[in-house]
Amino acid sequence: MAAKVLDYSTALDVLKEYKSRDGLDIHELMDTAKHGGLTYNDFLLLPGYIGFPASAVVLDSPVTKRITLKTPFVSSPMDTVTEHEMAIHMALQGGLGVIHHNCSPEAQADMVRKVKRYENGFIADPVVIDRSTTVGEAKLLKEKWGFGGFPVTESGKLGSKLLGIVTNRDIQFEDDASVPVSEVMVTDLITAQAGVNLQEANKILAKSKKGKLPIVDSDGNLVSMISRSDLNKNQDFPFASKLPDSKQLICAAAIGTRPEDKLRLKGLVEAGLDVVILDSSQGNSMYQIEMIKWCKAEFPGLDVIGGNVVTREQAAGLIAAGADGLRIGMGSGSACITQEVMAVGRPQAAAVYSVSSFAARFGVPCIADGGVQNVGHIVKGLALGASTVMMGGLLAGTTESPGTSFVSREGKLVKAYRGMGSIDAMQDKKAGGGGKDSQKSNAGTARYFSEGDSVLVAQGVSGAVAHRGSINKFVPYLAAGLKHSMQDCGMTSLAELHQSAEDGILRFEIRTASAQLEGNVNMESYEKKLYA
């Protein structure tokens, strides 16, 4: 007997007869007793209803209790991923770059300064020179800081009488490096009086057609400055991660948990650091708990992110110590072999869900760190409760990473990339200034508690990744992909994504090995372009 065909117009009413929605809710999906520990490739999100354009999706998400990013992407503190160039461009794109610490404290602090000086509202501490500074010295300052245009004052310090400004045009074609800047500087200046607000100062600058606008007091002493390049950056990068008061880019950096790292952190804070990440492969240690408490007591205005953790038990101690954020992942990175060598860790999806659901009860945001190979993995990490996603290998191939570019044996352009647990990274002597005891100051050995080991046990590898072009194209591609994925799920914001997952509205499906094969390309030959 044929089944009765129902009236098509009643389809939505008939749907209500089913006891549950199609697929699994997040709690059923992540039941490790039933399914074991899942990773990103083991499941999919089910589609929802599209009632809005992808452009309407909002990606704002917290990275710490106090700081929210416009784009939920963070670059990893690895020495082939994040130095000042990466940190600057990640911040300009609305994300956050975490500067590595496999270098001297002075070098790391210098990188923080470069990030903080890159974009400003009022520049409260401009680089100031005196009239006797030579053209050669001015050119060296331009190379050091990455910008030109230095105010010249009587004493060469802020708060002294303004005499002029030296710009790139004044020194570019001056061949005699010994000429004092007093002979080439611009003295016909347009200034604004101290007390002017930023909006009014920007109007004066725009009308002046000058590159810099010095702010002076009633006696003509320099008190601050604003720059035309910052006006341009505001137009070109509207989602940039900036502090609301100073308009400087937000900067993060990593340190270890050794006593000398306290001195390193003091230098970073003096340079303007906003967020510190305590960098350890296993964050649940007496060293890190003590360091979190010290950081919060010594620098109450500094946000502290602890980790790495993969269990609730690990997370609880760091949360109780005062961590403003957590970093989740152990052994899931593309250049990491911790799970293989140490037999310790956790599949990344299981780790992200377990820790982030626990941390959310205390208002502590979580970073999903590791295992991200594509846009889909980003979506899954966020759907499981992470507020941001940290990437290493995915960003190591970009122009802004410090890795070396070269042509592989296959004739492809690649960039060097290594895990911080690799022998190459742990034997790098930059952090210790090249001395005999460099191993004790190395970020890799510190991260894996190997400072005093006579035999180094690798927990990472060295290799190369495909060149991906500039961050300024690659990150927008990732953000666009994330927005379209959320549109497919019917979610207009990351906050809605998290709440819908918790309420059981967002549904999931486990993928068998055959399903994973089905979801990949099945052709004899093809060209895979990620974006255009």
Side-chain angles (χ1 to χ4, degrees):
M1 183 177 176
K4 180 183 177 183
V5 176
L6 304 179
D7 180 355
Y8 72 89
S9 65
T10 65
L12 292 175
D13 294 323
V14 172
L15 187 64
K16 297 174 185 176
E17 297 175 3
Y18 291 83
K19 292 182 179 180
S20 65
R21 298 171 68 92
D22 216 344
L24 305 172
D25 67 34
I26 194 170
H27 310 294
E28 293 169 329
L29 173 75
M30 300 311 297
D31 186 343
T32 55
K34 281 186 179 180
H35 307 305
L38 301 184
T39 191
Y40 294 145
N41 285 335
D42 292 325
F43 68 95
L44 288 172
L45 283 68
L46 296 186
Y49 172 70
I50 297 177
F52 53 89
S55 59
V57 175
V58 177
L59 299 182
D60 295 35
S61 194
V63 68
T64 68
K65 292 176 182 177
R66 294 183 287 195
I67 296 176
T68 294
L69 305 178
K70 293 290 185 182
T71 310
F73 303 148
V74 183
S75 67
S76 181
M78 304 170 74
D79 61 6
T80 51
V81 178
T82 310
E83 291 188 346
H84 64 278
E85 280 292 326
M86 178 68 76
I88 287 169
H89 289 278
M90 284 296 292
L92 289 175
Q93 293 297 335
L96 183 67
V98 186
I99 296 171
H100 74 86
H101 60 117
N102 205 23
C103 57
S104 69
E106 295 76 20
Q108 191 182 21
D110 197 38
M111 286 189 271
V112 171
R113 288 189 193 93
K114 288 178 179 178
V115 177
K116 300 305 292 184
R117 287 184 181 274
Y118 186 81
E119 183 171 354
N120 298 274
F122 285 110
I123 305 172
D125 58 343
V127 179
V128 183
I129 58 179
D130 64 37
R131 69 175 90 198
S132 64
T133 302
T134 66
V135 167
E137 290 169 335
K139 288 180 178 179
L140 290 174
L141 283 173
K142 181 180 181 298
E143 289 179 15
K144 177 181 179 180
W145 294 113
F147 59 83
F150 305 111
V152 182
T153 67
E154 194 74 52
S155 67
K157 295 180 180 179
L158 195 68
S160 178
K161 190 172 184 61
L162 180 67
L163 303 177
I165 286 182
V166 174
T167 69
N168 291 330
R169 284 172 290 185
D170 301 322
I171 61 176
Q172 185 177 9
F173 300 111
E174 179 55 63
D175 295 328
D176 188 350
S178 65
V179 171
V181 295
S182 58
E183 295 186 17
V184 298
M185 68 183 182
V186 176
T187 56
D188 181 20
L189 303 176
I190 294 175
T191 62
Q193 286 295 307
V196 66
N197 62 43
L198 184 59
Q199 187 177 11
E200 189 60 36
N202 282 335
K203 287 182 181 178
I204 297 171
L205 178 62
K207 194 177 293 185
S208 74
K209 296 186 169 70
K210 300 285 187 180
K212 310 284 182 185
L213 179 69
I215 312 297
V216 297
D217 62 19
S218 57
D219 296 321
N221 298 316
L222 180 69
V223 295
S224 64
M225 190 168 69
I226 64 171
S227 170
R228 177 174 293 275
S229 63
D230 292 332
L231 281 177
N232 296 334
K233 291 167 194 169
N234 287 336
Q235 291 179 334
D236 296 338
F237 303 102
F239 299 119
S241 303
K242 293 185 288 188
L243 296 173
D245 48 357
S246 70
K247 301 299 182 183
Q248 291 179 319
L249 295 179
I250 296 173
C251 183
I255 64 169
T257 55
R258 300 162 299 195
E260 57 264 36
D261 284 302
K262 293 180 180 180
L263 292 175
R264 178 185 285 264
L265 182 57
K266 287 181 178 178
L268 297 177
V269 171
E270 289 173 4
L273 189 69
D274 303 300
V275 181
V276 65
I277 284 188
L278 303 185
D279 191 26
S280 175
S281 63
Q282 212 284 52
N284 187 26
S285 70
M286 59 183 179
Y287 312 109
Q288 184 159 146
I289 289 172
E290 188 277 328
M291 182 65 92
I292 291 173
K293 292 178 179 178
W294 180 85
C295 290
K296 297 306 295 181
E298 193 75 13
F299 306 108
L302 180 69
D303 283 13
V304 182
I305 297 176
N308 280 35
V309 295
V310 293
T311 69
R312 292 188 298 269
E313 288 75 14
Q314 284 180 297
L318 306 188
I319 292 171
D324 299 297
L326 292 176
R327 188 174 165 203
I328 304 171
M330 189 173 183
S332 56
S334 61
C336 186
I337 56 173
T338 295
Q339 293 182 12
E340 173 191 341
V341 174
M342 300 299 166
V344 178
R346 196 174 197 180
Q348 185 67 348
V352 171
Y353 170 71
S354 180
V355 175
S356 60
S357 60
F358 177 73
R361 300 177 66 182
F362 307 94
V364 177
C366 291
I367 303 171
D369 173 24
V372 176
Q373 300 168 13
N374 51 51
V375 175
H377 290 167
I378 293 174
V379 177
K380 292 174 183 179
L382 295 169
L384 292 174
S387 60
T388 55
V389 173
M390 180 174 279
M391 295 166 280
L394 201 61
L395 300 178
T398 58
T399 306
E400 290 76 13
S401 76
T404 304
S405 297
F406 60 96
V407 178
S408 68
R409 281 178 286 188
E410 292 77 25
K412 296 180 179 179
L413 183 61
V414 297
K415 290 196 81 168
Y417 174 55
R418 66 188 186 188
M420 293 307 294
S422 65
I423 295 298
D424 284 350
M426 290 197 285
Q427 288 184 333
D428 195 299
K429 295 184 177 182
K430 290 194 296 292
K436 291 182 179 180
D437 293 330
S438 290
Q439 182 172 314
K440 293 181 179 179
S441 302
N442 180 281
T445 56
R447 188 172 203 278
Y448 296 93
F449 303 101
S450 303
E451 301 99 315
D453 291 358
S454 57
V455 177
L456 293 175
V457 179
Q459 294 192 48
V461 298
S462 301
V465 293
H467 203 291
R468 299 184 184 275
S470 174
I471 278 288
N472 294 323
K473 285 191 175 181
F474 189 63
V475 167
Y477 150 70
L478 296 177
L482 174 56
K483 286 185 175 185
H484 279 281
S485 175
M486 291 178 61
Q487 181 192 36
D488 282 343
C489 295
M491 303 296 160
T492 58
S493 68
L494 290 177
E496 183 183 1
L497 182 74
H498 289 157
Q499 192 60 53
S500 296
E502 182 61 29
D503 294 342
I505 297 172
L506 182 65
R507 309 298 284 186
F508 302 85
E509 193 75 274
I510 290 177
R511 301 171 83 192
T512 63
S514 297
Q516 292 182 40
L517 184 63
E518 176 188 68
N520 284 323
V521 179
N522 294 287
M523 296 171 61
E524 286 296 325
S525 64
Y526 62 93
E527 183 180 9
K528 191 174 184 179
K529 285 187 176 181
L530 294 179
Y531 57 91

